[in-house]
């Protein structure tokens, strides 16, 4: 039941982000569902591996892969589906803690929190990059047909 509530809230937050930034109306629900799927994958991987970095990477990879497919289907740029999907995974808490520690003059904690936020953002960026590059290489891949010059074939 908890995952269902988190899924719905994630969908609504992704749609809200899309509305704020004037996304096309046709893409709002699809990108919202993409954000919900990404959040559930994040939570499942986080519960099994206890690594926020692996969870961020895998969920960004899945979100970006789904977004590339949706971009071809709906004829929109992939970023329209990627950005609202990934926005739920951004390291807001770590950035907030970094600023709080700096303001309270706790430099060691601030630096540790800063490294954590940069590592999470890097995992998200690497997941998006990997899915995008795989999608680009799959566009160029084509199964070749038989050539017209078949020398073994008798005429």
């Amino acid at each position: 039941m908890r995952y269902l509530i988190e899924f719905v809230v994630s969908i609504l937050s992704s749609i809200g982000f899309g509305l704020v930034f004037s996304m096309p109306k046709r893409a709002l629900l699809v990108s919202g569902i993409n954000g919900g799927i990404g959040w559930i994958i994040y939570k499942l991987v986080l519960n099994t591996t206890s690594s926020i970095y692996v969870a961020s990477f895998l969920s960004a990879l899945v979100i970006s892969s789904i977004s590339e497919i949706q971009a071809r289907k709906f004829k929109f740029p992939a970023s329209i589906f990627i950005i609202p999907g990934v926005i739920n995974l951004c390291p807001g808490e770590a950035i907030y803690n970094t600023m709080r520690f700096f303001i309270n003059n706790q430099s060691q904690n601030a630096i540790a929190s800063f490294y954590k936020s940069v590592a999470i953002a890097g995992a998200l960026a690497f997941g998006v990059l990997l899915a995008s590059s795989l999608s680009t290489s799959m566009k160029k891949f084509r199964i070749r047909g038989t050539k017209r010059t078949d020398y073994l074939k008798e005429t």
Side-chain angles (χ1 to χ4, degrees):
M1 184 67 180
R2 179 179 171 101
Y3 284 121
L4 181 65
I5 293 171
E6 289 182 9
F7 180 72
V8 171
V9 169
S10 180
I11 288 173
L12 292 175
S13 67
S14 295
I15 289 174
F17 182 81
L19 286 173
V20 168
F21 288 99
S22 301
M23 276 182 48
K25 303 293 185 225
R26 284 186 7 205
L28 278 175
L29 183 62
V30 177
S31 62
I33 292 172
N34 196 13
I37 291 170
W39 182 257
I40 293 301
I41 289 171
Y42 172 79
K43 292 298 278 189
L44 290 174
V45 173
L46 186 63
N47 288 340
T48 56
T49 63
S50 299
S51 173
I52 195 168
Y53 311 111
V54 174
S56 297
F57 168 72
L58 288 178
S59 59
L61 183 69
V62 170
I63 288 170
S64 299
S65 300
I66 293 171
S67 296
E68 294 288 341
I69 294 167
Q70 291 169 343
R72 288 193 187 103
K73 182 177 179 185
F74 292 102
K75 304 216 182 336
F76 283 123
S79 60
I80 285 189
F81 302 107
I82 292 173
I83 294 170
V86 173
I87 199 70
N88 296 328
L89 305 173
C90 289
E93 179 191 7
I95 294 170
Y96 171 77
N97 286 335
T98 301
M99 293 307 296
R100 185 172 55 95
F101 289 140
F102 271 126
I103 289 170
N104 292 332
N105 205 15
Q106 299 174 351
S107 298
Q108 294 296 333
N109 292 339
I111 291 171
S113 181
F114 175 73
Y115 285 144
K116 179 181 178 182
S117 61
V118 168
I120 293 169
L124 291 173
F126 187 63
V128 171
L129 176 75
L130 187 62
S132 178
S133 64
L134 287 175
S135 172
T136 303
S137 66
M138 291 307 287
K139 281 186 214 174
K140 294 177 183 176
F141 179 75
R142 236 185 317 173
I143 298 175
R144 294 188 178 133
T146 58
K147 292 186 178 182
R148 289 183 349 151
T149 56
D150 192 1
Y151 298 113
L152 299 177
K153 191 175 186 182
E154 291 182 30
T155 55

